[in-house]
């Protein structure tokens, strides 16, 4: 795991198409903005790990949620 410290307004680039920016810092909360191509799914980890409130067939990282997708 890579651990980075960023200041307000700073960004991190992942590959050629994904940029994560620090938009706001309020106490212990950090607001992030993620810029990625429209065909890139972005999920909060607690939704994948806990399988809470997922739209049917939308998470490619969960084989049973995406039947027939080759996973």
């Amino acid at each position: 795991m890579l651990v980075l410290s960023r200041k307000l307004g700073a960004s991190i680039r992942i590959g050629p198409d994904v940029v994560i920016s620090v938009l706001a810092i309020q106490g212990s909360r950090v607001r992030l903005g993620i810029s990625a191509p429209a065909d890139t799914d972005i999920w909060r980890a607690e939704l994948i790990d806990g399988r809470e409130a997922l739209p049917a067939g939308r998470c490619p990282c969960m084989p049973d949620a995406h039947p027939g997708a080759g996973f």
Side-chain angles (χ1 to χ4, degrees), residues 13-54:
R13 182 173 291 277
I14 300 174
D17 299 327
V18 178
V19 178
I20 301 173
S21 301
V22 180
L23 302 179
I25 302 171
Q26 298 172 342
S28 63
R29 299 189 72 151
V30 177
R31 189 174 192 107
L32 300 174
I34 303 171
S35 176
D39 63 342
T40 301
D41 287 337
I42 300 171
W43 295 91
R44 295 187 342 238
E46 67 270 18
L47 294 179
I48 295 169
D49 296 340
R51 297 181 181 218
E52 300 171 13
L54 284 171

Side-chain angles (χ1 to χ4, degrees), residues 51-65:
R51 297 181 181 218
E52 300 171 13
L54 284 171
R58 286 288 304 143
C59 186
C61 54
M62 295 175 55
D64 56 322

Side-chain angles (χ1 to χ4, degrees), residues 1-5 12 14 45 49:
M1 174 188 300
L2 175 64
V3 178
L4 301 171
S5 296
I12 298 167
I14 300 174
D49 296 340

